[in-house]
Amino acid sequence: MKISHRELEDCRQRPQSWAQERLSAISTWRSFGYNQALMNAIHKYHRTGDDVDFARQHLESLIERNFTNDDRIGEITEKLDAYVSWHQTSGVVVADTNIRLSYSSGGYLELGGLVSRLDVTDAGYRAVILGLPRPNWRRELRMPLVQEAIAIKYGRPVGNIEVGVQALDGSNLTTTSFSMRAISAAKSAFRELGSLVRPLLEFNQ
């Protein structure tokens, strides 16, 4: 059973509620939101070789098709400009964007979802998840799993991978790197979580 890394902490904190939502018809439909449009435009910016005009045009197209709230439209437009300004002054080299995860630790659950950006560092790579981070993001189960998933995907030693979070306007980029012991513990917890939710999902199917 695949689970997005963005869902994992909710599943961990309230497995029964998460399973019920997963099985409900309502949970299969999620509307396209303002922040999703912004992340999509950021992805296009990097994917096109940092083409600012293309990214802005793409965001405008998404806005025209999906949104009407002028305040929110202004907010994501300003955030795109701020993100581009951060990137242009940061010197960060982006190796990849919207990296799709497919990671298993041998249990029922398989970690999926997208990692927003992969930066080149002196030691290896930095996997960055864009969005509003929770204060305790370093304690989230997904982070050490993402670190190993990226190491496997790109053939790098796991110790040469950083993982981190960043706001959608390019501010507050913070990273960490987990030890092999921490990653091993996270993998065990991920397998245990899979054993917990499996009967909740399969019993109600």
Side-chain angles (χ1 to χ4, degrees):
M1 169 69 70
K2 185 163 284 190
I3 179 173
S4 169
H5 67 82
R6 294 184 185 272
E7 295 179 61
L8 184 57
E9 200 61 23
D10 287 339
C11 176
R12 183 187 185 192
Q13 297 296 331
R14 47 186 195 92
Q16 290 186 334
S17 297
W18 175 85
Q20 290 173 355
E21 291 171 4
R22 185 68 178 259
L23 291 168
S24 71
I26 295 175
S27 69
T28 62
W29 169 257
R30 290 185 174 87
S31 61
F32 185 72
Y34 290 86
N35 285 341
Q36 287 174 292
L38 176 54
M39 285 192 284
N40 197 299
I42 290 171
H43 166 63
K44 294 293 185 183
Y45 165 69
H46 289 303
R47 185 66 75 183
T48 57
D50 305 335
D51 188 328
V52 180
D53 291 335
F54 184 88
R56 287 172 177 156
Q57 291 169 7
H58 183 71
L59 182 59
E60 289 172 3
S61 176
L62 293 175
I63 288 169
E64 289 177 5
R65 295 200 304 268
N66 297 282
F67 308 130
T68 57
N69 186 314
D70 290 339
D71 290 339
R72 293 298 307 278
I73 289 170
E75 180 183 334
I76 61 174
T77 302
E78 290 175 4
K79 283 184 176 179
L80 176 61
D81 289 341
Y83 179 90
V84 168
S85 178
W86 163 80
H87 179 251
Q88 290 177 338
T89 58
S90 69
V92 167
V93 176
V94 177
D96 206 352
T97 64
N98 273 15
I99 302 102
R100 189 170 298 279
L101 299 181
S102 183
Y103 170 83
S104 174
S105 64
Y108 175 70
L109 292 176
E110 179 181 335
L111 193 68
L114 297 175
V115 171
S116 308
R117 195 181 72 235
L118 193 69
D119 301 337
V120 178
T121 67
D122 291 340
Y125 289 125
R126 175 173 61 204
V128 179
I129 298 170
L130 295 176
L132 182 63
R134 288 178 276 241
N136 62 342
W137 67 267
R138 288 180 178 84
R139 297 181 182 177
E140 292 181 4
L141 181 59
R142 64 175 174 166
M143 302 309 292
L145 301 178
V146 168
Q147 181 176 329
E148 181 165 84
I150 291 295
I152 292 170
K153 188 176 183 72
Y154 292 91
R156 290 278 182 166
V158 71
N160 292 359
I161 305 297
E162 297 175 67
V163 289
V165 294
Q166 186 176 22
L168 287 167
D169 62 0
S171 63
N172 298 321
L173 173 60
T174 53
T175 64
T176 190
S177 185
F178 295 91
S179 67
M180 289 301 301
R181 182 177 180 179
I183 292 171
S184 179
K187 291 165 68 175
S188 294
F190 190 45
R191 289 192 294 269
E192 290 173 4
L193 182 60
S195 296
L196 177 63
V197 300
R198 183 172 188 168
L200 299 175
L201 292 169
E202 294 184 345
F203 178 77
N204 292 286
Q205 285 181 339

